Amino acid sequence: MEQRRHPFTQPPRRERDLGACGLCGFLNRDGRRVSGEVIVRGIANMHDRGNGLGGGFAAYGIYPDYRDFYALHIMYDRPDLTKETEEYLRRNLEIAQSEEIKLFDHPRVSDHPYFKRYFVQPPDTDRGRSPDDYIVQTVMHINVHCGGAFVVSSGKNMGAFKGVGYAEDLAEFFCLDEYEGYLWTAHNRFPTNTPGWWGGAHPFTLLDWSIVHNGEISSYGINKRYLEMFGYHCTLLTDTEVVAYLLDLLVRRHGLSFEQACLVLAPPFWKDIDRLGSPQREEYTHLRMIYGSAALNGPFAFLFGFTGGLIGLNDRVKLRPLVVGENGSTFYLASEEAAIRALCPEVKIVWAPVAGEPVIVRLEEDSSKKNHDRH
Amino acid sequence: MTVIDARGMYYRELNQRLREGIRQGEHHFRLVNVEGQRYIADGIVAQGVRVDIYGVPGQDLAAFMDGPTVVVYNNAQDGVGNTMNGGKVVVHGLAGDVVGYGMRGGRLYVRDNVGYRVGIHLKGYQDQQPILVVGGKAGNFFGEYMAGGYLILLGATTDDARPVVGDYCATGMHGGVIYIRGEVDPHYLGREVRCFDLEESDIKFLTPILQDFLTELDLDLAVFDFERYTKIIPVSTRPYGQLYAY
């Protein structure tokens, strides 16, 4: 790729290709951890679904030595801008370890931010907040108030790696072959409505929720205002952010099951609810009425990763592709079957989920006890 | 026969080699290790050319194609036969969404299930009549806005619990014919169509097509039970003919 003379003011020079974002992910249900080299094969296969303006990965199980600490990945505009944020972290959290995130000086990832990682715990607090709530508020504070800093991820034993570039180049940039996880998701971006910038790349995360998304959330305005009532600040100029926060609200704070949360995000049409029998009809009606402002409109396929599993969901009329593959204890989800076959050439079962019906895959019980303490 | 190993090859080079081969008079290509390359055989206008594909071809396979026969010995992805004008595509597996979009000629056979929006905007004119046959089941919006040609859905190669066709089938249809083997939920149909039993002329039309489908895919299926079929046609061929001219 040629060096660009105007990296900021001009979009990358290339022929006009029609494209759409690409996503893929897999879960080893037995908790077996594999190197980040694997997921790269899948997302690189769908190179043309992105345009080099965003790529990223979420990885789970990568910090077993610090599994009980929240791992904050923070990007800074410059190394000398860490001071304010680190001062805030020191005042508000116990920091077990802080270190630079190892980067490779990649010829195709130029002019990048500076990355650090902190393993932290909230202080013992009597203010009635759960540790998770405390971390959420910390993340929101840094993103809104600490100039030059942005929290990329904040979950336990997981992390997000993302930026501007092609996903396969960013994987080399972040040295992902040196991490091992049991759950990986990946995204390459073809920004349409919002700018391509480092913070705006996928995945979007909060605690151990991570989301990669293909499509556009045309209900963004309603969802954003709804979330603001619960203390979430949407700072990223990108529609996908609301999905991560909505899932946090619905599942972690309101106690809905993942199945119910997906019914909220992609509710069946009223004409279909009317044809259901009791008590399903009542349940679906209640969810639509209570959470009308949390419904997502517009075309989407997204992958949602969390400590205990992986979820794939399509919009109600399937305006974006999603394919599922299974091989042994590993579950694959991707925009295209070819990406699944790049991840696993011998994949046995391949199918396409029904619109609006989530594919929910969970870690097997034993491994989930080993790997996490939530959900 | 020319064998092209597509492993690691960008789609442009793959298609350039295909076109170059055809220019030099090659009639039979075997593409091996295909790994999701887009646009294979797109826009190729040639008679008597056959392209065998091993591996999963990418989006828009055989789009705008006119003449060749493309046989996929695996699953295919989205947009197979997009605006195809002539020739034949045979898929020994399933296919994704928007298969046969705006197709205007030729034949497209898929052995297993197809996704959403299959056969939408299918169109036909005089002897230019596309025929799309699906051995499995179809998702929502099958034949939406269909304007001509023939969609044939057999529901015969899968035993999953889904209905043979999804919701919004034939919505906005104003031309062509859909034949579906198995129960069609009237709630799933557009308002501008009506269902009929097959007549002798339908059976005469369908029989050789089904035989060709089974032969091409090397299948032995009992799909000649024509009493199980439903024929769906629009009740008006020009429902919007007066829209701007009343």
Side-chain angles (χ1 to χ4, degrees):
Chain A
M1 188 180 288
E2 85 279 25
Q3 284 293 318
R4 288 185 289 123
R5 192 177 302 164
H6 301 293
F8 303 111
T9 57
Q10 296 292 316
R13 226 157 20 96
R14 51 178 288 131
E15 289 172 51
R16 179 86 180 95
D17 264 339
L18 290 178
C21 298
L23 46 83
C24 66
F26 66 89
L27 170 70
N28 287 332
R29 299 186 65 198
D30 55 5
R32 190 170 31 92
R33 301 192 303 136
V34 296
S35 146
E37 285 167 312
V38 178
I39 189 73
V40 180
R41 295 203 302 265
I43 201 69
N45 178 273
M46 298 185 291
H47 177 90
D48 283 342
R49 295 187 76 91
N51 67 350
L53 288 179
F57 300 83
Y60 292 76
I62 55 175
Y63 300 131
D65 295 344
Y66 289 96
R67 70 177 59 190
D68 297 325
F69 293 85
Y70 294 89
L72 301 184
H73 283 194
I74 300 185
M75 73 166 78
Y76 296 98
D77 279 317
R78 292 191 311 271
D80 59 302
L81 288 174
T82 56
K83 211 175 149 198
E84 182 190 353
T85 302
E86 293 194 342
E87 179 60 33
Y88 178 78
L89 293 177
R90 267 195 296 277
R91 267 191 284 113
N92 292 282
L93 295 161
E94 290 167 17
I95 303 173
Q97 167 76 358
S98 89
E99 60 200 23
E100 288 188 349
I101 292 180
K102 185 179 167 185
L103 303 176
F104 164 66
D105 189 12
H106 199 289
R108 289 188 295 274
V109 182
S110 54
D111 199 29
H112 56 79
Y114 174 71
F115 284 90
K116 279 193 83 172
R117 150 196 318 127
Y118 308 86
F119 294 105
V120 302
Q121 278 291 2
D124 289 329
T125 170
D126 56 2
R127 278 173 284 184
R129 271 184 296 180
S130 74
D132 280 352
D133 281 337
Y134 192 93
I135 295 295
V136 169
Q137 283 165 23
T138 303
V139 170
M140 294 291 160
H141 178 93
I142 294 170
N143 287 352
V144 174
H145 297 293
C146 294
F150 173 75
V151 180
V152 178
S153 62
S154 55
K156 287 179 181 172
N157 200 10
M158 62 81 69
F161 304 87
K162 65 180 190 176
V164 174
Y166 280 103
E168 59 269 32
D169 295 337
L170 288 158
E172 291 173 353
F173 173 72
F174 285 113
C175 306
L176 292 191
D177 56 332
E178 297 179 14
Y179 297 84
E180 288 193 331
Y182 60 86
L183 163 59
W184 288 87
T185 63
H187 186 264
N188 55 13
R189 190 163 183 229
F190 199 114
T192 45
N193 296 334
T194 50
W197 62 291
W198 280 74
H202 299 215
F204 292 94
T205 68
L206 188 65
L207 297 171
D208 70 322
W209 313 126
S210 72
I211 194 124
V212 291
H213 163 235
N214 169 20
E216 57 181 81
I217 308 294
S218 47
S219 55
Y220 173 76
I222 286 169
N223 302 142
K224 174 175 180 279
R225 282 191 290 279
Y226 181 67
L227 284 164
E228 281 166 353
M229 295 197 295
F230 298 95
Y232 296 90
H233 299 283
C234 297
T235 54
L236 301 181
L237 313 174
T238 300
D239 49 5
T240 311
E241 187 183 19
V242 299
V243 185
Y245 298 165
L246 283 171
L247 281 162
D248 185 67
L249 175 71
L250 297 170
V251 177
R252 190 176 61 83
R253 288 172 64 181
H254 288 185
L256 268 59
S257 68
F258 285 118
E259 289 80 358
Q260 288 171 322
C262 290
L263 281 169
V264 168
L265 298 180
F269 292 103
W270 286 115
K271 74 174 181 63
D272 297 322
I273 292 176
D274 289 343
R275 293 182 76 196
L276 294 169
S278 208
Q280 238 185 352
R281 187 172 61 226
E282 287 74 21
E283 185 197 346
Y284 286 25
T285 303
H286 292 158
L287 285 172
R288 267 204 85 159
M289 292 177 76
I290 295 166
Y291 290 112
S293 300
L296 301 176
N297 211 343
F300 66 82
F302 67 68
L303 300 187
F304 170 61
F306 58 104
T307 301
L310 175 63
I311 295 175
L313 183 68
N314 261 139
D315 66 80
R316 308 180 289 175
V317 290
K318 193 127 189 173
L319 286 161
R320 289 294 179 274
L322 191 61
V323 181
V324 186
E326 283 178 68
N327 192 57
S329 61
T330 306
F331 240 88
Y332 301 89
L333 282 150
S335 304
E336 299 183 17
E337 178 176 336
I340 293 179
R341 293 198 180 273
L343 290 167
C344 176
E346 61 275 13
V347 64
K348 294 282 182 318
I349 309 164
V350 172
W351 49 283
V354 173
E357 286 186 14
V359 176
I360 302 177
V361 200
R362 288 174 184 277
L363 268 183
E364 284 156 19
E365 207 52 50
D366 286 346
S367 62
S368 80
K369 282 200 192 85
K370 252 185 292 173
N371 279 304
H372 68 99
D373 55 355
R374 295 202 304 122
H375 313 300
Chain B
M1 186 178 67
T2 299
V3 178
I4 301 175
D5 187 348
R7 176 148 292 150
M9 191 182 282
Y10 197 51
Y11 74 82
R12 284 196 185 128
E13 187 187 343
L14 185 54
N15 279 313
Q16 277 160 4
R17 290 179 63 168
L18 202 55
R19 283 168 174 271
E20 185 53 36
I22 291 170
R23 244 192 312 277
Q24 290 174 6
E26 180 60 82
H27 290 288
H28 193 183
F29 297 85
R30 177 178 289 176
L31 314 185
V32 298
N33 296 318
V34 171
E35 40 192 23
Q37 284 90 349
R38 295 178 173 189
Y39 314 129
I40 295 175
D42 283 18
I44 291 182
V45 182
Q47 297 303 316
V49 170
R50 181 182 168 108
V51 182
D52 295 328
I53 295 176
Y54 293 85
V56 176
Q59 318 298 69
D60 281 327
L61 172 74
F64 311 110
M65 188 181 80
D66 194 356
T69 296
V70 173
V71 183
V72 182
Y73 292 94
N74 211 314
N75 294 335
Q77 295 189 165
D78 305 325
V80 179
N82 179 356
T83 325
M84 177 174 149
N85 205 51
K88 199 175 207 176
V89 178
V90 179
V91 180
H92 289 252
L94 56 78
D97 299 331
V98 284
V99 172
Y101 171 81
M103 199 176 149
R104 43 209 269 177
R107 291 193 184 193
L108 206 166
Y109 297 162
V110 180
R111 189 188 68 194
D112 299 331
N113 289 348
V114 290
Y116 285 56
R117 297 182 180 78
V118 168
I120 68 173
H121 284 291
L122 211 73
K123 54 198 72 175
Y125 179 69
Q126 295 181 351
D127 57 349
Q128 186 73 3
Q129 299 288 346
I131 298 172
L132 199 162
V133 188
V134 176
K137 297 179 175 182
N140 294 3
F141 308 104
F142 188 68
E144 190 186 35
Y145 304 119
M146 185 168 164
Y150 299 89
L151 287 179
I152 302 164
L153 181 61
L154 302 178
T157 51
T158 172
D159 50 8
D160 66 36
R162 287 166 48 196
V164 63
V165 72
D167 206 350
Y168 307 101
C169 175
T171 305
M173 177 179 180
H174 55 99
V177 184
I178 301 177
Y179 294 102
I180 297 178
R181 180 173 166 275
E183 281 301 307
V184 178
D185 185 338
H187 281 97
Y188 284 178
L189 287 175
R191 290 178 195 164
E192 42 289 88
V193 296
R194 217 172 277 161
C195 296
F196 298 89
D197 292 333
L198 300 203
E199 294 170 18
E200 228 14 77
S201 58
D202 297 308
I203 295 170
K204 216 172 138 194
F205 170 75
L206 282 174
T207 302
I209 294 170
L210 295 177
Q211 273 160 352
D212 188 50
F213 175 82
L214 297 178
T215 305
E216 287 280 10
L217 286 162
D218 198 17
L219 291 170
D220 182 17
L221 297 170
V223 290
F224 298 94
D225 43 358
F226 292 112
E227 70 284 355
R228 289 192 58 196
Y229 283 67
T230 300
K231 176 184 183 179
I232 300 168
I233 52 173
V235 287
S236 157
T237 51
R238 298 188 69 229
Y240 310 111
Q242 298 298 307
L243 190 60
Y244 302 110
Y246 58 91

